Each structure stands twice: as structure tokens, then as C-alpha cells.
Amino acid sequence: MDTARFRALLDARRAELEELLARLERDEASIRHDRADATADDEHDPEGTTLSGEWQKLDGLQRSMRAELAEVLAALGRIDDGTYGTCIRCGQPIPTRRLEVRPMATMCVPCAEKAS
């Protein structure tokens, strides 16, 4: 298995997620600033979404991206320790085609199907 190719894919996704998370953190800081403004009564404004609604969306996106980032980092760890591409359930190799689609995969398709 060409782990260098998968490392490159995972490194690229890690960088993308880190940049997106930084952008979301800036957006969150902006919302916190707007929310601290005593004159901002967006809860009663019939135009647009509320700051609370935007905050909830950002929180959901951040949680999802942090979870994916944790999967990416774990996959990079498996490359480092030599276990990348091996199913954690049955110990068989995970097909390269599966890893091309989902480089963070920890299980082969049959085991993943059983787990869900």
C-alpha cells in the first residue's frame, strides 16, 4: 500500500479543516462581539436570522469539523505506527478503493456494515 499517497491526502484534509475551524472561530468571535452589544435586539427583528441561531449553526459545524479532524489525526497516527489500512475489527486489509474514498476508514466494508 502506498501510505505516502494517503498521508498526503490526510495532510491536505487536516490543513483544510484547520483553516475552516479558524474561520469559524473568527465568525464566532464576531457573533460574541455583536451579542455583547446592548443595542442589538436581533431576537425581535423580523429580518434575517438571530444571533443565537447563527451561533448554534457555527457550534454544530465546529463540532463536526473537530470530530473529522480527530479522525484524520488518528489515521495519520495509524500510518506512523504501521497499522493504517488494517481493519480494527477483523484484522484484514482495508481495500485501497475504500481508503481512496474515505482515507480515515478504520474498518473494511463488511465490518463497517455490521457495526452500523
Side-chain angles (χ1 to χ4, degrees), residues 45-78:
D45 183 359
E47 303 290 324
T49 60
T50 65
L51 293 176
S52 295
E54 288 301 311
W55 199 343
Q56 287 176 336
K57 282 191 239 177
L58 284 175
D59 182 58
L61 286 170
Q62 286 174 320
R63 287 174 191 255
S64 175
M65 287 182 189
R66 284 186 188 117
E68 185 178 349
L69 181 58
E71 289 180 16
V72 168
L73 294 173
L76 288 167
R78 289 191 302 278

Side-chain angles (χ1 to χ4, degrees), residues 89 107 111-116:
R89 194 165 191 186
M107 289 186 264
C111 287
E113 288 174 347
K114 290 175 192 172
S116 51

